[in-house]
Amino acid sequence: MATQTQPQEHTDTFAALSDCFDTDLAALIGEGAPRNATPAGFIGLVERVRDVLGSASVGRLQDAHEDLDHAVTHLTDALTSPAGDQRSLLAWARTHLRDAIETAR
């Protein structure tokens, strides 16, 4: 039973992160917010924003780029980690996403 609920919890957590951050992230690079993003799709959005901000020569955008880079690492690791590790990895990703958005604005 635990193996059946783990993927659902995992998907729900990524969906919650996507719901919280996809509009703000997409706005940073002039895109519309994706609808019903998969975990991989959400990570792809974070990577695109990271790459755009990383090419800027503005200090605060470089700082946001670094936060997004950390978020991508945590999100990617959460895809393959055991359920117990996923919660902390996704919590760290959430912190980095929030910090990046605040810094980039």
Side-chain angles (χ1 to χ4, degrees):
M1 187 76 159
T3 56
Q4 290 178 351
T5 59
Q6 181 180 355
Q8 184 62 40
E9 288 176 20
H10 174 248
T11 302
D12 290 346
T13 304
F14 268 87
L17 284 175
S18 180
D19 288 346
C20 287
F21 295 108
D22 62 359
T23 300
D24 290 332
L25 288 168
L28 289 175
I29 58 172
E31 289 185 8
R35 299 286 179 227
N36 300 322
T38 63
F42 179 63
I43 293 170
L45 172 63
V46 177
E47 289 173 328
R48 286 193 308 280
V49 176
R50 176 200 62 195
D51 294 345
V52 169
L53 297 182
S55 66
S57 59
V58 178
R60 68 182 173 79
L61 298 181
Q62 289 291 318
D63 292 342
H65 165 266
E66 289 198 22
D67 273 320
L68 291 176
D69 193 49
H70 292 300
V72 166
T73 300
H74 294 308
L75 291 168
T76 303
D77 289 348
L79 285 176
T80 59
S81 295
D85 294 340
Q86 285 177 356
R87 286 181 185 232
S88 70
L89 289 166
L90 293 173
W92 277 107
R94 182 181 63 240
T95 298
H96 287 293
L97 290 166
R98 185 177 52 241
D99 291 348
I101 291 168
E102 288 177 14
T103 301
R105 288 186 175 162

